[in-house]
Amino acid sequence: MIPRIYIPGDSGSLALGAEKVAKAIRAELAERGIEAKIVRNGSRGAYFLEPMVEVATANGRVAYGPVKPADVKSLFDSGFLTGGHHKRWLGAPDKIPFLAKQTRLTFARCGINDPLSLDAYKSLGGLKGLQNAVAMAPADIVKQVTDSGLRGRGGAGFPTGIKWKTVLDTTSERKYIVCNADEGDSATFADRMIMEGDPFVLIEGMTIAGIATGATKGFVYIRSEYPHAVATMNKAVEIARKAGVLGVNVLGSPNAFDMEIRVGAGAYVCGEETSLLNSLEGKRGVVRAKPPLPAIQGLFGKPTVINNVISLASVPIIMDKGAAFYKDFGMGRSRGTIPIQIAGNVRNGGLFETAFGLTLGEIVDDIGGGTATGRPVKAVQVGGPLGAYFPRALFDTPFDYEEFAKRDGLIGHAGITVFDDTADMLKQARFAMEFCAIESCGKCTPCRIGSTRGIETIDRLAAGIEPEKNLALVTDLCNTMKFGSLCALGGFTPYPVMSSITHFPEDFKPAPARVAAE
Ligand SMILES: Cc1cc2nc3c(=O)[nH]c(=O)nc-3n(C[C@H](O)[C@H](O)[C@H](O)COP(=O)(O)O)c2cc1C
Ligand code: SF4
């Protein structure tokens, strides 16, 4: 049997040099006259080990990483094609602690095989959920998703089954499934990883959503910064169509469902569902007032399910293994698993899928391994640019929607950014206001004007001008933005600002004191 070498081809691994490694391996194979099959898989998500090259041996897969092109010759000399030892040797991939500790439900297949091999997808349990769904009544599918406790992974944590029920119960000759793949939050890459590493699971989830709600057409709205995801999804849709997974008779059933890929134009606010719908319709990406809910009047005025990539990609396993199986994971009202994306100044950056309930400290210290710089962790921002900064004192907070909300935080899309003790939280608070000012769609005053006034006020604080008055002004402004904004861009910007002020008051002292303290 000819050797089989797996080299990730997803954009994260490419950014870390996977293409150069692939080129070096090909050249070495040619030079040594060895015939081998190179498979371009996705990433398993341990990005601190990427590019992670794997070889299939008689005793299973053996991984090496992070591999540099300069390592390639010595890898061959060490007999890596049969799993030989080398300084980059990691052993069996599923025994690598970062991967072994995970509970992979949604990401069960991600990074293992060629993402565009439908046979490989099926060989690892793919399409079983859809097969079950085509034999069920729509209301039963919706019930199963509701019973699983799945909540939207895009940020708001709204129960997926309830959203689907609204669309199912709304009569219309046309309904849509829209997948939100705008993934604009800082530190997040779960959607990209799935689209590039296991695209069929998203197609399967969207098709199930269509059958469950009576929608026959779906769109995936992918951010323009994800060209590899766009290319992979386009190819996967074509393959799924040819194989009869999509089309007029899904898996040979009377159900019809087809989908298309659409590319965004680079606005954070277009991740907000109504703004996304406007953008998808070819209009300016401005937020729409609700009601009407998109589930009743969404894309082109028709009932529309809008779900995040991970919400939809979690549905196949629910339809395969059952609601009770999924619901068994997690804590409180946060059921199932969540792909936590660990980034920023952290030693072990990557995606960690686990049941809800791990504490923030376990995630940052034990799994993330602390900061990459080796300095103490000062703050962790959870939930993207609109998420709160948590100090070490809150590291006992379990990863759970309600537990984070109790402490004035949010989980969002489960991205966490780690900062060491050199971070200046006043600058971070200013950045939050600046981000809001730049990304504001401009529809409502608290966000459009408030964010700019916020920057000016924080600048006055930094300059030591009337600190007490300006601190009170920022607090007042944050309240206005929180309660007066039309959407969560203006409404949540107070989280990073107020958490910085509350947990790191020393960083907001007048400038001379701050300089003296340094
Ligand atoms: C400013 C802003 C940006 C957002 N960006 C995203 C995004 O990039 N991806 C996403 O899935 N949801 C995003 N959301 C949340 C969506 O509005 C919506 O709640 C989500 O797509 C619903 O899907 P879910 O129920 O599966 O989470 C954003 C919300 C706001 C206010
Ligand atoms: S809060 Fe900001 S982004 Fe949201 S509708 Fe208002 S102006 Fe637009």
Side-chain angles (χ1 to χ4, degrees):
M1 216 172 69
I2 62 165
R4 195 174 266 259
I5 307 171
Y6 295 83
I7 310 169
D10 67 299
S11 48
S13 305
L14 292 177
L16 291 162
E19 200 53 51
K20 286 192 184 127
V21 171
K23 205 172 150 200
I25 288 177
R26 275 195 211 101
E28 200 61 32
L29 286 167
E31 200 178 308
R32 294 180 189 234
I34 302 172
E35 196 190 338
K37 173 147 179 64
I38 293 180
V39 178
R40 301 308 295 267
N41 53 332
S43 172
R44 293 184 191 247
Y47 276 110
F48 62 103
L49 298 175
E50 294 290 4
M52 188 168 95
V53 177
E54 296 174 36
V55 287
T57 75
N59 300 319
R61 295 246 198 126
V62 176
Y64 298 83
V67 176
K68 308 263 173 281
D71 296 323
V72 169
K73 253 191 206 320
S74 61
L75 274 170
F76 275 86
D77 291 342
S78 310
F80 99 117
L81 291 181
T82 49
H85 273 268
H86 183 274
K87 63 180 177 183
R88 305 285 184 211
W89 186 89
L90 298 166
D94 47 9
K95 299 262 166 34
I96 295 168
F98 185 88
L99 296 170
K101 286 185 201 157
Q102 301 193 31
T103 302
R104 289 233 161 168
L105 302 185
T106 308
F107 284 77
R109 280 169 299 261
C110 192
I112 295 180
N113 284 313
D114 172 0
L116 291 171
S117 166
L118 193 55
D119 286 339
Y121 181 68
K122 286 195 242 175
S123 74
L124 292 176
L127 294 186
K128 281 191 184 162
L130 181 57
Q131 258 149 13
N132 290 340
V134 293
M136 288 167 72
D140 292 337
I141 305 175
V142 172
K143 184 172 181 319
Q144 189 154 325
V145 173
T146 308
D147 290 349
S148 74
L150 177 67
R151 291 165 72 177
R153 303 290 191 241
F158 188 81
T160 305
I162 293 181
K163 193 182 278 187
W164 288 19
K165 186 167 182 346
T166 310
V167 177
L168 172 66
D169 291 346
T170 308
T171 312
S172 174
E173 80 289 353
R174 199 108 176 95
K175 299 179 186 180
Y176 295 103
I177 307 296
V178 172
C179 172
N180 189 341
D182 200 50
E183 196 162 58
D185 282 0
S186 41
T188 62
F189 46 87
D191 299 353
R192 190 188 72 209
M193 254 184 74
I194 276 286
M195 290 188 288
E196 295 178 355
D198 194 17
F200 294 120
V201 78
L202 176 58
I203 294 173
E204 186 178 351
M206 285 182 72
T207 309
I208 296 170
I211 295 169
T213 57
T216 51
K217 179 88 191 192
F219 292 94
V220 186
Y221 183 92
I222 307 180
R223 63 180 304 168
S224 61
E225 295 89 339
Y226 282 180
H228 290 92
V230 171
T232 308
M233 283 304 302
N234 268 318
K235 283 185 202 149
V237 165
E238 228 171 86
I239 293 165
R241 237 181 240 141
K242 279 199 186 119
V245 175
L246 294 171
V248 285
N249 299 110
V250 169
L251 296 184
S253 74
N255 302 288
F257 190 75
D258 206 346
M259 57 194 276
E260 286 177 40
I261 310 302
R262 290 280 187 273
V263 183
Y268 178 74
V269 78
C270 283
E272 192 283 331
E273 56 187 15
T274 60
S275 190
L276 186 155
L277 291 177
N278 275 336
S279 175
L280 210 47
E281 290 177 11
K283 299 175 185 150
R284 212 180 112 199
V286 177
V287 172
R288 296 178 187 172
K290 287 188 273 193
L293 290 173
I296 292 168
Q297 273 180 46
L299 188 63
F300 303 113
K302 303 293 178 201
T304 303
V305 166
I306 304 185
N307 272 137
N308 171 255
V309 172
I310 304 302
S311 318
L312 290 161
S314 299
V315 167
I317 190 138
I318 294 168
M319 296 311 298
D320 173 16
K321 301 251 162 92
F325 168 84
Y326 192 79
K327 198 175 185 172
D328 206 28
F329 298 91
M331 67 175 280
R333 288 182 51 227
S334 305
R335 308 313 311 178
T337 58
I338 177 93
I340 299 169
Q341 299 129 86
I342 311 170
N345 184 348
V346 71
R347 193 186 302 264
N348 301 334
L351 180 135
F352 194 91
E353 182 178 355
T354 182
F356 284 94
L358 276 188
T359 65
L360 188 55
E362 285 170 317
I363 297 162
V364 174
D365 295 330
D366 304 346
I367 296 155
T371 64
T373 50
R375 299 182 67 95
V377 175
K378 177 169 180 175
V380 180
Q381 189 177 30
V382 185
L386 311 176
Y389 288 98
F390 274 29
R392 196 163 260 289
L394 296 183
F395 272 21
D396 60 345
T397 313
F399 218 78
D400 166 283
Y401 292 105
E402 280 68 35
E403 293 298 324
F404 263 72
K406 268 188 220 160
R407 293 177 164 196
D408 286 328
L410 50 106
I411 283 182
H413 188 43
I416 72 169
T417 313
V418 181
F419 293 82
D420 73 13
D421 61 349
T422 60
D424 180 338
M425 301 313 290
L426 181 141
K427 280 193 186 150
Q428 294 307 122
R430 186 191 192 279
F431 171 72
M433 286 292 188
E434 193 186 5
F435 181 81
C436 182
I438 292 169
E439 298 294 342
S440 171
C441 84
K443 181 136 177 168
C444 67
T445 320
C447 169
R448 188 184 68 241
I449 310 283
S451 50
T452 298
R453 293 291 94 87
I455 298 169
E456 294 162 0
T457 315
I458 294 173
D459 280 346
R460 283 200 292 278
L461 269 174
I465 300 165
E466 300 184 285
E468 274 176 29
K469 191 179 145 199
N470 281 309
L471 213 47
L473 198 57
V474 174
T475 309
D476 191 32
L477 184 60
C478 279
N479 271 329
T480 306
M481 290 174 72
K482 188 170 176 181
F483 299 109
S485 295
L486 186 59
C487 86
L489 178 46
F492 284 11
T493 293
Y495 279 96
V497 177
M498 289 312 296
S499 58
S500 298
I501 294 173
T502 308
H503 302 306
F504 308 94
E506 62 284 2
D507 286 9
F508 289 80
K509 291 206 178 107
R514 293 174 75 218
V515 172
E518 280 162 15

